[in-house]
Amino acid sequence: LHIIGVVGAGGGILLHVDKHAWLTYWIITMTTGILLMVWEIIRDWRWLIQLKGVLTLAKVGLLFLLVPLSNWQVEIITALVLLSVIVSHGPAGLRHYSVVHRKVIHGKKEIKG
């Protein structure tokens, strides 16, 4: 559902389609995105300090820029898609890199807390 929402909303924004045509996809994207983030944080709070979590939070920040920087929507959507690919398909060593510990953290046993 999340990918379907991203494709529908992103395509609508990129092609300058009437907002009414892609708004449902936007709602699907935001709802499933929030649920996915909450799930990751509940499973292991360390997600927030791993690159996959940090990049996801950066994507949220970019989403907030879509309205005030409306002239840059194509570039922002493109950056969002590229960050999504890195988070989803990047090597584990990149996705699991802890920005706090400056090393790869695969599981709870590798760091205390």
Side-chain angles (χ1 to χ4, degrees), residues 4-45:
I4 291 169
V6 168
V7 171
I13 293 169
L14 290 174
L15 298 174
H16 305 288
V17 175
D18 181 53
K19 184 178 179 180
H20 177 71
W22 54 263
L23 187 58
T24 300
Y25 291 104
W26 179 262
I27 293 168
I28 291 169
T29 302
M30 298 307 290
T31 303
T32 56
I34 290 167
L35 291 172
L36 288 166
M37 281 182 53
V38 169
W39 171 250
E40 290 292 348
I41 295 166
I42 289 171
R43 281 184 350 149
D44 187 357
W45 67 268

Side-chain angles (χ1 to χ4, degrees), residues 46-47 49-53 55 85-99 103-107 110:
R46 291 163 189 87
W47 177 86
I49 61 171
Q50 291 176 314
L51 204 51
K52 58 186 175 179
L55 291 177
V85 169
I86 292 169
V87 171
S88 299
H89 301 289
L94 177 69
R95 292 181 295 113
H96 295 177
Y97 179 81
S98 168
V99 297
K103 67 178 185 175
V104 176
I105 303 294
H106 290 289
E110 294 178 74

Side-chain angles (χ1 to χ4, degrees), residues 50-62:
Q50 291 176 314
L51 204 51
K52 58 186 175 179
V54 172
L55 291 177
T56 300
L57 294 174
K59 288 170 29 180
V60 171
L62 285 172

